């Protein structure tokens, strides 16, 4: 029996991803300067504000505000009209020393006996459907956002894009579990106001079909046939 499979992806400018990237950057920097660092950081972002929180045990000092602003700047939030901008947003640090209770569950004299503290375990699966061992729908959803981000940074063919975006790809599979076509592609993105709403919607749809999707196909020619029904 044929069936549909959908995956969704969010861009680097999506609030969830902004928070993830700031947290990742803090961990990377702590470990770069002190490989023995113990870091449990969370980041919250909202309009004009970034809040850094967590517990850290490290022999290094970091300017966490500067690190957070550099991440935000790299993502593309560089204009005050976005209501969230790298240089002007508030960055509040509530990072403090790792608690003794957690530390005693982590540190051991022998590294082989070191614990994981209160960290959870994540599980998933790999598939040989793509070279990245991810489901094809997810791979294509990621690729759409990567190309959209490139178009935004190039600021040439499409000049109205803002950082936050989301994509979703729905694939139809045959009875023998082979992808036969893309049933639907959804792209949602922040953008500047450049005309009335119907005109903007028509322009964005046209640019997605005629500019964005051809770039995705060019990077994935082996899947070109799947796009035939999705871009009409």
């Amino acid at each position: 029996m044929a069936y549909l499979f959908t995956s969704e992806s969010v861009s680097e400018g999506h609030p969830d991803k902004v928070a993830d990237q700031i947290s990742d950057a803090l961990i990377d920097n702590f470990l770069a300067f002190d490989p023995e660092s113990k870091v449990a950081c969370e980041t919250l972002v909202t309009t004009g504000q970034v809040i850094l929180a967590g517990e850290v045990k490290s022999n290094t000092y970091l300017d966490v505000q500067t690190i957070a602003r550099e991440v935000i700047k790299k993502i593309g939030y560089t204009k005050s009209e976005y209501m969230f901008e790298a240089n002007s947003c508030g960055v509040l640090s509530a990072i403090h020393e790792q608690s003794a209770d957690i530390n005693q569950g982590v540190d051991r004299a022998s590294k082989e006996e070191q614990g994981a503290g209160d960290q959870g375990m994540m599980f998933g699966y790999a598939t040989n459907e793509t070279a990245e061992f991810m489901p094809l729908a997810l791979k294509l959803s990621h690729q759409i956002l990567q190309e959209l981000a490139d178009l935004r940074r190039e600021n040439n063919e499409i000049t109205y894009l803002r950082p936050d975006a989301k994509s979703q790809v729905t694939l139809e599979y045959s009875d023998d579990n082979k992808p036969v076509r893309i049933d639907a592609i959804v792209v949602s993105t922040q953008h500047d106001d450049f005309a009335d709403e119907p005109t903007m919607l028509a322009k964005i749809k046209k640019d997605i079909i005629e500019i964005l999707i051809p770039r995705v196909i060019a990077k994935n020619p082996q899947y070109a046939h799947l796009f035939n029904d999705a871009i009409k």
Side-chain angles (χ1 to χ4, degrees), residues 67-221:
I67 293 171
R69 294 186 193 281
E70 286 300 317
V71 172
I72 297 167
K73 186 182 300 182
K74 183 179 179 181
I75 290 170
Y77 284 110
T78 56
K79 297 181 181 179
S80 59
E81 64 196 78
Y82 297 162
M83 299 181 70
F84 184 77
E85 188 267 331
N87 293 322
S88 63
C89 70
V91 180
L92 172 64
S93 174
I95 297 174
H96 55 84
E97 183 79 10
Q98 184 185 53
S99 74
D101 290 337
I102 291 178
N103 182 255
Q104 70 179 0
V106 176
D107 281 337
R108 294 289 188 276
S110 170
K111 291 185 182 297
E112 288 75 14
E113 297 178 359
Q114 181 166 305
D118 62 348
Q119 302 306 303
M121 296 293 290
M122 304 299 174
F123 69 93
Y125 71 95
T127 173
N128 60 7
E129 189 173 43
T130 65
E132 295 83 359
F133 301 109
M134 295 190 300
L136 178 57
L138 185 59
K139 170 189 169 67
L140 295 177
S141 182
H142 285 339
Q143 187 77 62
I144 287 170
L145 291 183
Q146 289 167 4
E147 292 301 318
L148 193 67
D150 287 344
L151 284 164
R152 172 171 57 83
R153 292 191 176 94
E154 292 164 9
N155 198 34
N156 183 19
E157 294 180 278
I158 303 180
T159 59
Y160 51 76
L161 295 172
R162 293 185 180 184
D164 191 5
K166 181 182 291 186
S167 70
Q168 181 174 293
V169 174
T170 299
L171 281 172
E172 179 180 342
Y173 285 78
S174 63
D175 293 337
D176 58 350
N177 301 313
K178 300 295 183 183
V180 294
R181 72 182 185 91
I182 295 175
D183 181 75
I185 296 174
V186 177
V187 178
S188 174
T189 181
Q190 283 183 324
H191 61 84
D192 297 334
D193 289 330
F194 56 86
D196 60 86
E197 187 169 336
T199 301
M200 288 192 293
L201 288 175
K203 170 65 172 171
I204 293 169
K205 181 177 180 180
K206 182 175 185 289
D207 288 346
I208 288 172
I209 293 174
E210 298 183 1
I211 300 175
L212 173 61
I213 298 302
R215 287 174 59 133
V216 174
I217 294 174
K219 295 286 181 65
N220 303 273

